[in-house]
Amino acid sequence: MIKIKFTNRLNQSGLSLVEVVASIVILSIILLSFFTMLVQSAKTTKTSEEIIDATYIAQTEIEELYAYSAKNPFPIGNFEANIFPNFHFIKSKNENGIEEYYYEKQESAYIILKVTPKTIASTNLTRVLIQIYDKKNGTMKAQMENTLEWGT
C-alpha cells in the first residue's frame, strides 16, 4: 500500500511580491548611483583634457617666444612684425599706461599674448602673459606667465 503524505503549505518559505519589489527598488538605487558616478567621471575627464590641451598650447607659445628672446634684443618700434609676422597684433595700453601687445591665433582656442615692454631702461626683462580661451563659450582655460631676458 502506498501512503501519500500531504504537507502544510502555510509553512513553506518563498518570496512574496513585496520582497521582490523592495529588492528591485534597492537594486535600482544602487545602479543609479553608479551611473551618475560614471557620467560625472566622463565630464571631469573631458574638462581635464581641455585644460591640458590649453596648457600645452600656452607652453608651446612661451617656448617659441623664449627661443626668440634668447637670440635677439627686444624689438623696438615694430615689435609685432619682428616676432610674429604671420599674426595680427593689436597694440593697446593697460591701466598703468604701459603698452601691451595682443594677438589672436585661430586653432582649437583663442590665444592672447600680452608682452609688456621693459619699464626700466637698464634691464632686459619683459613680462609675458599668455591666456588661452575656449572658442565655444569664451572662458579662459589656461594662463601662463613668464619674465624673459632679451639677448643683446
Side-chain angles (χ1 to χ4, degrees):
M1 178 187 256
I2 300 176
K3 290 186 179 180
I4 299 175
K5 186 176 180 182
F6 292 101
T7 60
N8 187 357
R9 293 191 179 243
L10 294 177
N11 291 335
Q12 263 187 342
S13 64
L15 294 177
S16 68
L17 182 61
V18 173
E19 292 172 327
V20 171
V21 170
S23 64
I24 289 174
V25 167
I26 291 171
L27 186 62
S28 298
I29 291 171
I30 292 171
L31 290 177
L32 185 63
S33 65
F34 277 119
F35 179 71
T36 304
M37 184 179 64
L38 291 175
V39 169
Q40 186 64 32
S41 175
K43 287 180 183 178
T44 304
T45 301
K46 184 176 180 346
T47 303
S48 295
E49 285 177 0
E50 290 173 356
I51 291 172
I52 288 172
D53 290 344
T55 304
Y56 176 75
I57 292 169
Q59 181 68 33
T60 303
E61 296 295 321
I62 285 277
E63 288 175 0
E64 286 179 17
L65 195 56
Y66 174 77
Y68 181 86
S69 70
K71 298 176 186 173
N72 301 298
F74 186 80
I76 302 193
N78 199 2
F79 173 82
E80 55 273 12
N82 290 333
I83 294 184
F84 295 109
N86 298 329
F87 304 117
H88 174 67
F89 270 80
I90 303 165
K91 184 192 273 188
S92 68
K93 291 190 177 189
N94 68 8
E95 61 274 357
N96 298 327
I98 299 171
E99 289 183 343
E100 293 181 334
Y101 302 88
Y102 300 79
Y103 81 94
E104 292 186 7
K105 181 178 175 184
Q106 302 290 330
E107 279 187 4
S108 62
Y110 295 111
I111 300 174
I112 298 179
L113 166 68
K114 299 178 185 179
V115 178
T116 306
K118 55 186 176 182
T119 55
I120 302 172
S122 62
T123 65
N124 287 334
L125 298 178
T126 302
R127 179 179 172 258
V128 176
L129 175 68
I130 293 182
Q131 297 172 327
I132 311 296
Y133 291 89
D134 188 11
K135 263 186 171 180
K136 296 175 187 171
N137 55 17
T139 59
M140 185 169 36
K141 290 292 182 182
Q143 176 174 316
M144 194 167 286
E145 184 175 4
N146 200 351
T147 303
L148 300 178
E149 183 175 8
W150 293 85
T152 56

